[in-house]
Amino acid sequence: MGDRTHAHTGAAGRAATAGRPSSVRNVVLVGHSGSGKTTLVEALAQTAGAVNRAGRVEDGATVSDYDEIEHRQQRSVQLSLVPVEWGGYKINLLDTPGYADFVGELRAGLRAADAALFIVSAAQEAEAVAGATRAVWEECAAVGMPRAVVVTHLDTARTSFEEMTRICGEIFGGDDPDAVLPLHLPVHGPEGADGHAPLTGLTGLLGRRIFDYSSGERRENPPPEEQLPALQEARNRLVEGIIAESEDETLMDRYLDGAEVDIRTLVDDLERAVARGTFHPVLTAAPAAPGARQGVGTVELLDLITGGFPTPPERPLPDVTPLHGASRPVLTCDPDGPLVAEVVKTASDPYVGRISLVRVFSGTLRPDQTVHVFGHGLTDPGHEPRPFHETEVRVGALSSPFGKQQRPVTSCVAGDLAGVPKLGGAETGDTLSDPDRPLMLDPWTAPDPLLPLAIEAHSKADDDKLSQGLARLVAEDPTMRLEQNQDTHQVVLWCLGEVHQDVALDRLRSRYGVQVDAVPHKVPLRETFAAPSTGRGRHVKQSGGHGQYAICEIDVEPLPPGSGIEFVDRVVGGAVPRQFVPSVEKGVRAQAARGVSAGHPLVDVRITLRDGKSHSVDSSDAAFQTAGALALREAAADTRIQLLEPVAEVRVLVPDDYVGPVMSDLSGRRGRVIGTEQSGTGRTLVRAEVPELEIGRYAVDLRSLSHGAGRFDRAYARHEAMPPQLAERLRGRPENDPNDS
């Protein structure tokens, strides 16, 4: 790894293909926004020959031309696949957005990948690196996914590879920083007047060779004498780190006794340790200079991917469950086995329509094949899962996505990825399997969207298209949840952040032709009686012909929280005929649902019907319904009505350094901190109860407060009395918008 002779094996305009699972490498690129992931993908594609020197494929589309929205947003907003060939292997590079609002795309990339490259910018502060990537690193560690670190932007003024390597060791190494060590040291050219020193090459530590890229082609040279002491010091540490992870328990003893360990043994042990996920090499890379064919460090990185990262058969498959009572099969990544595949992403193309990006875990997917599609919906903590659905669909053409291109392929073997257009109603997370033996892959977890966006159709024409547009939008993006709130009668899109909201509105408008307006989100409040009261409802009308006559008297008393509406009949002597008592109850409950003060549903009261009057001719069901509603309104007018607000149980997970600010912020939101507890190394879980009126934008505020390192979840706890001064302010608002408070 790093000391081989290379020639690019790709060809611009031709789809990279794989004939067997062992020739595939699926690699996801992870990193904070602005770290240079997409630029690195372009550099790797250029070095592998998948694009020309301008970074373009044959039709002029660049590998970063993924979505028209990305150009307007000036950031990557979705998972993108760029397949390249290197040394006889097909490498599927999965470029993920770095912005926190699109973590769902990142989770999809992790599901499709077998290894991860963590891209960190030397120009970024340590807090930005830790906040954006530490949680994902731990997620990969939990499943043993191999990881390597790539440092970018080393040609920026006042950057240090040594300092960034130290930071990565602290952030990613945890208790073992020597498990995160560099394989190469950067070589810089002369510093310019602007303070920038271009990256011109690398010093390979294991082979003690200089890889010089200054001519535009990679050339090997011996290191200068003056660099040997620093090189040897770094090499010794790397060798010790590799030997510490070696499966040969005698190797460390021999090394400490002064024996020379041959480089082939070191490389083999390094590759095994990387594949096991116990050692994480640090590399550096930079895009090719104008006129050059290879970017600095790209050859070494492609070598690491093909030599050190595992093949799909070497990684465990997701758990699978048989449908309709069949026995659980034992699956392997075998192209001749039963078909099991998963839709990891759903996108829309203006010309092709819906395109599903599919990872095949077992079997081989072919055009014209009939597959069973089973949709279980992705897990969404704290909310009901999406409805199950299943159907059989005939697969059309298969393609290998590359930027905006869809290059045709004849099949997709186990371990590989392919694009499938018009796959029926398949959604992200759905399982594809053989119709004769339908199976279900256990779902992967999608983050819970916690930022509400209430919308209304802009016009009648938009209203007619709104439902279909929203359904397609949510089918594409499992991190977006659609709610039609029965209390506030609002259509609410729950998103991960403000940029996520902007992209949702943009896609509704540009893809589906639906113009919507964002409106203030309403929190479902309740009303209750603060003290007992009585009311008399009199509905007497005579306008010629059949009249209306109903009188009823009620007592209203408050009940404990959670009691709802309790109706009691205490009428004696037939003052209200038996057939009309249900009518009074119906009228009372209907009025309670409409509210008696500020238009919010009335709860937690006992309403007792104690007396009334009727007429033998003019009394009716409708008359007593009206009288019951009037009686409840009169009772409300004679006492104080208390507004109740929903309270959420909030769990905030943050690094220890942010516990104080988070607790102070929650207290400022009228929250009650219930307790704290340690959750892993260096992180604390803060549990609190906070009124939902105060946390409408908490998804955005927490990200700012914790530099992107904090996350939270919430669950409804109960409704409780709102402070009187706040209740009075809300009652005085014509729109009664709680979130404006």
Side-chain angles (χ1 to χ4, degrees):
M1 212 168 12
D3 298 307
R4 304 168 182 166
T5 301
H6 305 88
H8 73 78
T9 57
R14 178 175 62 83
T17 57
R20 61 189 189 280
S22 59
S23 66
V24 178
R25 300 293 186 275
N26 297 310
V27 182
V28 61
L29 282 78
V30 178
H32 49 87
S33 182
S35 60
K37 295 184 299 299
T38 301
T39 302
L40 178 59
V41 169
E42 292 179 343
L44 293 172
Q46 181 175 339
T47 296
V51 296
N52 59 28
R53 293 190 179 188
R56 294 181 177 274
V57 294
E58 286 184 343
D59 72 344
T62 68
V63 298
S64 58
D65 282 340
Y66 303 129
D67 195 310
E68 71 281 359
I69 296 173
E70 293 190 358
H71 296 292
R72 293 194 291 272
Q73 295 285 339
Q74 294 300 303
R75 57 169 66 89
S76 295
V77 299
Q78 62 179 349
L79 173 72
S80 300
L81 171 64
V82 177
V84 301
E85 291 182 1
W86 184 255
Y89 298 96
K90 179 186 179 184
I91 304 173
N92 289 316
L93 298 170
L94 294 151
D95 184 14
T96 63
Y99 204 72
D101 281 16
F102 306 104
V103 67
E105 301 287 318
L106 169 61
R107 295 283 178 86
L110 292 174
R111 180 71 161 195
D114 301 305
L117 290 175
F118 280 72
I119 316 303
V120 298
S121 170
Q124 288 277 359
E125 296 180 358
E127 280 187 342
V129 177
T133 57
R134 178 182 286 168
V136 184
W137 182 276
E138 293 173 354
E139 194 172 324
C140 293
V143 296
M145 178 177 284
R147 287 145 284 154
V149 180
V150 182
V151 179
T152 59
H153 299 155
L154 278 172
D155 54 352
T156 306
R158 294 180 296 279
T159 57
S160 168
F161 178 74
E162 292 74 17
E163 177 64 13
M164 184 52 66
T165 301
R166 182 191 65 78
I167 291 171
C168 289
E170 292 178 354
I171 295 173
F172 302 138
D175 297 333
D176 186 13
D178 284 342
V180 183
L181 293 173
L183 293 182
H184 314 93
L185 299 179
V187 176
H188 292 275
E191 186 174 298
D194 57 359
H196 292 194
L199 190 66
T200 60
L202 304 173
T203 301
L205 295 180
L206 291 182
R208 300 184 182 95
R209 303 290 290 175
I210 299 290
F211 306 123
D212 184 8
Y213 286 83
S214 58
S215 66
E217 297 284 344
R218 181 179 183 269
R219 303 180 187 278
E220 292 190 22
N221 300 304
E225 287 290 332
E226 63 271 15
Q227 292 184 9
L228 290 178
L231 188 157
Q232 191 61 41
E233 181 182 350
R235 185 182 190 276
N236 289 342
R237 189 181 178 197
L238 172 62
V239 170
E240 291 172 8
I242 294 172
I243 292 175
E245 300 297 336
S246 173
E247 295 177 334
D248 185 350
E249 297 179 357
T250 68
L251 194 59
M252 179 63 79
D253 293 335
R254 300 203 309 268
Y255 175 75
L256 293 176
D257 289 340
E260 181 70 20
V261 182
D262 68 277
I263 189 169
R264 187 66 258 169
T265 299
L266 290 173
V267 170
D268 289 345
D269 283 348
L270 170 63
E271 292 180 346
R272 282 192 291 267
V274 171
R276 290 198 310 268
T278 58
F279 186 82
H280 316 292
V282 181
L283 301 94
T284 185
R293 190 177 65 81
Q294 295 177 335
V296 178
T298 53
V299 169
E300 288 72 20
L301 189 50
L302 289 167
D303 281 348
L304 171 71
I305 292 171
T306 55
F309 283 167
T311 66
E314 294 172 322
R315 295 288 301 155
L317 269 63
D319 291 336
V320 66
T321 302
L323 300 176
H324 314 310
S327 60
R328 179 186 290 267
V330 178
L331 293 179
T332 59
C333 187
D334 180 2
D336 297 323
L339 176 67
V340 179
E342 184 175 46
V343 178
V344 295
K345 176 178 173 54
T346 309
S348 291
D349 184 276
Y351 304 104
V352 181
R354 181 181 291 188
I355 300 175
S356 301
L357 179 62
V358 173
R359 161 77 192 254
V360 179
F361 290 101
S362 171
T364 300
L365 186 64
R366 296 181 174 87
D368 299 325
Q369 182 178 1
T370 299
V371 298
H372 180 273
V373 179
F374 182 83
H376 44 56
L378 304 185
T379 59
D380 190 7
H383 302 283
E384 291 296 321
R386 299 185 182 188
F388 289 81
H389 57 273
E390 58 180 313
T391 185
E392 291 187 4
V393 179
R394 182 175 172 272
V395 175
L398 299 181
S399 63
S400 178
F402 192 101
K404 285 185 175 179
Q405 288 189 334
Q406 297 293 326
R407 299 170 171 177
V409 294
T410 57
S411 64
C412 181
V413 299
D416 205 357
L417 295 139
V420 185
K422 301 177 181 177
L423 194 57
E427 300 178 359
T428 300
D430 286 3
T431 302
L432 312 183
S433 59
D434 290 326
D436 296 336
R437 196 178 186 184
L439 301 169
M440 175 187 73
L441 286 165
D442 285 1
W444 40 286
T445 302
D448 192 9
L450 296 169
L451 186 66
L453 172 67
I455 58 174
E456 293 178 353
H458 184 70
S459 66
K460 178 62 170 67
D462 294 310
D463 192 39
D464 295 337
K465 298 181 290 184
L466 181 60
S467 295
Q468 183 180 6
L470 288 173
R472 294 174 66 183
L473 187 69
V474 173
E476 286 185 18
D477 188 350
T479 63
M480 193 174 294
R481 180 165 52 87
L482 178 63
E483 175 193 13
Q484 300 199 18
N485 193 289
Q486 300 301 313
D487 293 322
T488 63
H489 307 292
Q490 286 189 315
V491 176
V492 182
L493 274 176
W494 288 87
C495 303
L496 294 175
E498 291 178 308
V499 179
H500 198 199
Q501 291 180 340
D502 294 342
V503 169
L505 295 177
D506 204 349
R507 283 178 174 162
L508 278 175
R509 180 173 57 253
S510 60
R511 289 186 180 178
Y512 309 127
V514 182
Q515 184 76 33
V516 298
D517 299 321
V519 297
H521 175 245
K522 298 178 182 178
V523 171
L525 303 180
R526 301 283 187 268
E527 300 173 355
T528 192
F529 278 56
S533 183
T534 61
R536 185 172 188 268
R538 184 176 185 276
H539 183 63
V540 178
K541 289 188 176 180
Q542 186 67 47
S543 55
H546 191 69
Q548 300 180 52
Y549 189 98
I551 298 175
C552 63
E553 297 178 4
I554 63 172
D555 296 328
V556 185
E557 55 185 313
L559 292 177
S563 301
I565 300 290
E566 181 180 331
F567 183 84
V568 179
D569 174 20
R570 292 283 173 78
V571 175
V572 295
V576 176
R578 304 310 306 161
Q579 69 269 28
F580 294 133
V581 171
S583 303
V584 175
E585 180 178 1
K586 187 175 181 180
V588 164
R589 290 188 180 276
Q591 183 63 52
R594 294 191 295 268
V596 293
S597 173
H600 305 293
L602 179 70
V603 295
D604 302 336
V605 292
R606 178 185 292 119
I607 302 169
T608 303
L609 176 62
R610 56 178 171 79
D611 202 359
K613 293 182 180 180
S614 65
H615 189 276
S616 58
V617 176
D618 293 340
S619 290
S620 65
D621 169 68
F624 271 100
Q625 284 189 45
T626 303
L630 291 172
L632 185 59
R633 291 209 297 265
E634 183 178 288
D638 290 341
T639 190
R640 183 170 67 88
I641 301 299
Q642 197 168 53
L643 279 185
L644 305 176
E645 60 181 340
V647 175
E649 182 179 340
V650 177
R651 293 157 32 98
V652 188
L653 185 64
V654 290
D656 293 344
D657 294 343
Y658 300 109
V659 172
V662 164
M663 292 176 65
S664 176
D665 178 71
L666 290 173
S667 297
R669 298 172 185 270
R670 298 189 287 122
R672 295 183 295 274
V673 176
I674 299 173
T676 62
E677 58 190 71
Q678 285 299 121
S679 179
T681 303
R683 292 191 299 179
T684 299
L685 181 68
V686 180
R687 293 181 293 110
E689 292 182 343
V690 190
E692 291 190 11
L693 286 168
E694 306 291 343
I695 55 174
R697 289 180 47 81
Y698 194 59
V700 176
D701 298 337
L702 176 63
R703 187 178 300 166
S704 175
L705 186 66
S706 64
H707 295 272
R711 59 182 186 268
F712 81 106
D713 58 58
R714 57 188 278 187
Y716 169 78
R718 62 186 174 278
H719 274 73
E720 64 180 33
M722 183 184 296
Q725 65 275 17
L726 178 58
E728 288 306 313
R729 289 214 324 262
L730 291 180
R731 282 194 181 96
R733 302 208 170 167
E735 291 298 321
N736 191 23
D737 174 20
N739 282 331
D740 283 347
S741 59

